[in-house]
Amino acid sequence: MLGLALGLSACGGGGGGGSATATPSPASYDVASSSASMASALGATDIAVSAGDTAAVAGATSAMDMTADVGDTWRFVFNAFTSKFKLLPLQTAYGLTQTSDEGTFTKTTSGTIDTYSGNFGTPGQANGGSITIKYDTRTKSLIGSVSWHNGTTTLSSAVTGSKLAMGASITSLAGDYVFANQARNQSNGQSPSSTPGTLNIASNGLVKLCPGAKYNAASGNCLRLDGTTPNDGSQIPVTLQLAANAGGNLTLTPTGSNTLTLPNGVTHIKAHIQAGDLGPVLVIDQDWLNASNVRRTGVFVAARIQAIDSAKFSGNFYCPTIQVNGNTGGTIRVTPTSFNLVGGSQAAVIAINKVYDTGTSVERDLAGAFHMTGTDSNNQPLHQFGFQLSSSLFVFQNGGLDRLNFCQRT
């Protein structure tokens, strides 16, 4: 199979991997309005505060759903007037069977980013922990970090999510997507890995997944990046069925002969929607078995393919999981040709609408993706993969190629 990795070039790139359209010029572009239009087109609306939410937090005014990179889905429910909040487990692989203890948050605002931070219960004890959530009012998406003790251990996780629920129809999600995941062994957190690829969603919700490969609509197969077809079985897409329930929750169910195997007691895969200005994004709670029957949990994110506009990609982005001089969290300055770590020495060359083909050691076209070229700790060439989720959010593989970093425009 082929490996995808990122790369931005000064002249950019194009083509490949589905229909691609350039975004409007920055001078006339309004991210908030474009995101609202996308949400409307998808039939996505703010998550409705449920009776269960108000039972958890008196007078609850808002709810946001988020996928934790340990492989859980949690809801952040809060009262904007009292600053009280709780976390609710919507799906868990770690025994979080009840709501968290109540906490009090502090909210600060910088431009279009609202930051919620605070402790709930007693951190380090059952149902206690802490949150730092950065919510983008333009796209109604969020990133951040959460620590939550499940009674045995503290789950420390990066999170990404949204304030939006999908409409009843999934037809508007149809198209080609680029994706990447981050997974680990559920039992011990070991053997982290990250795999990029592409997928297709049909208008009836049938998903065809091509790990480390490019989906080809004409043949219905997964192709290598050079356009050739494997003959070892990897050309057959993994198939899943996507559906939305009345509450706007998205589910993926294994279907067909080449599909995923779920752990005992797990009936479906949970997902939620982001509706940024560039198109729909699916954030998926990974919880399935690998070929060796090992339970692998994590986060899986897919964005509908659209060519990156280098001018709209440039700027400063905060990444809560990167390391800067021994500290967690830092800012990356993105230009049309480079990534530079603010306050650090790390830098890399990037090429937009490109991926790195590990099979042939050359860059290939893939609209919406980017290839980042740098060096590792042993001064060896390093090729990383990433893609845009919106004009204000992107994701890329870390230097170890075993986890994802989500970065939000500041």
Side-chain angles (χ1 to χ4, degrees):
M1 297 296 286
L2 43 116
L4 306 180
L6 20 150
L8 281 184
S9 60
C11 60
S19 58
T21 56
T23 53
S25 64
S28 61
Y29 194 64
D30 184 334
V31 172
S33 295
S34 297
S35 297
S37 295
M38 177 55 60
S40 178
L42 296 173
T45 56
D46 286 3
I47 295 170
V49 175
S50 68
D53 297 336
T54 54
V57 178
T61 58
S62 296
M64 303 179 190
D65 287 351
M66 52 195 179
T67 299
D69 68 8
V70 295
D72 271 11
T73 302
W74 303 331
R75 175 164 291 182
F76 172 46
V77 178
F78 62 93
N79 183 320
F81 302 105
T82 64
S83 298
K84 299 296 184 183
F85 76 95
K86 283 186 179 180
L87 299 182
L88 283 64
L90 301 183
Q91 184 157 298
T92 180
Y94 298 95
L96 292 165
T97 57
Q98 62 188 70
T99 61
S100 73
D101 289 341
E102 189 173 74
T104 302
F105 65 80
T106 299
K107 176 185 173 183
T108 58
T109 299
S110 177
T112 60
I113 305 299
D114 292 337
T115 300
Y116 300 85
S117 58
N119 295 333
F120 52 93
T122 302
Q125 296 185 13
N127 293 317
S130 63
I131 64 165
T132 301
I133 294 172
K134 292 183 174 292
Y135 172 72
D136 188 340
T137 59
R138 293 165 295 190
T139 61
K140 298 189 176 182
S141 63
L142 66 91
I143 62 171
S145 59
V146 174
S147 294
W148 191 354
H149 199 287
N150 69 354
T152 302
T153 188
T154 296
L155 301 171
S156 296
S157 184
V159 296
T160 185
S162 173
K163 195 178 182 180
L164 295 173
M166 185 61 193
S169 172
I170 58 171
T171 304
S172 56
L173 295 176
D176 292 332
Y177 290 69
V178 61
F179 75 78
N181 80 325
Q182 172 188 320
R184 64 181 200 166
N185 293 344
Q186 184 271 346
S187 61
N188 55 19
Q190 299 301 306
S191 302
S193 65
S194 174
T195 301
T198 62
L199 62 84
N200 173 267
I201 301 177
S203 58
N204 65 357
L206 182 65
V207 178
K208 295 182 178 180
L209 183 70
C210 293
K214 191 189 304 188
Y215 177 74
N216 180 265
S219 66
N221 287 330
C222 301
L223 306 185
R224 298 186 182 97
L225 286 180
D226 63 5
T228 60
T229 304
N231 59 7
D232 57 0
S234 61
Q235 74 275 17
I236 303 173
V238 175
T239 52
L240 300 162
Q241 183 62 49
L242 179 68
N245 64 23
N249 297 310
L250 291 170
T251 61
L252 289 157
T253 306
T255 187
S257 58
N258 189 37
T259 190
L260 300 172
T261 302
L262 303 185
N264 289 336
V266 177
T267 59
H268 60 266
I269 300 161
K270 194 169 186 61
H272 62 259
I273 192 76
Q274 291 183 5
D277 58 305
L278 302 182
V281 173
L282 295 180
V283 183
I284 298 167
D285 180 350
Q286 176 169 338
D287 186 3
W288 53 77
L289 306 182
N290 66 9
S292 300
N293 213 38
V294 175
R295 188 176 186 180
R296 302 281 288 170
T297 56
V299 61
F300 181 114
V301 60
R304 194 158 67 190
I305 290 175
Q306 179 170 238
I308 297 173
D309 178 334
S310 61
K312 294 190 60 51
F313 188 48
S314 301
N316 289 344
F317 293 80
Y318 177 73
C319 313
T321 56
I322 64 173
Q323 298 295 313
V324 184
N325 299 326
N327 298 315
T328 300
T331 298
I332 291 176
R333 180 174 295 116
V334 180
T335 77
T337 57
S338 67
F339 268 25
N340 292 279
L341 187 60
V342 176
S345 59
Q346 295 94 324
V349 175
I350 54 177
I352 56 172
N353 301 310
K354 299 285 186 179
V355 294
Y356 184 74
D357 185 344
T358 59
T360 58
S361 301
V362 298
E363 282 184 345
R364 306 281 187 187
D365 291 341
L366 184 62
F370 63 91
H371 169 224
M372 184 165 70
T373 306
T375 56
D376 63 17
S377 57
N378 297 317
N379 206 35
Q380 296 299 307
L382 179 65
H383 301 281
Q384 296 161 264
F385 172 83
F387 55 98
Q388 272 189 302
L389 306 181
S390 70
S391 292
S392 59
L393 188 65
F394 69 85
V395 61
F396 73 102
Q397 291 175 315
N398 71 339
L401 305 182
D402 59 9
R403 75 168 298 160
L404 299 178
N405 296 307
F406 290 86
C407 302
Q408 185 181 67
R409 187 181 295 275
T410 59

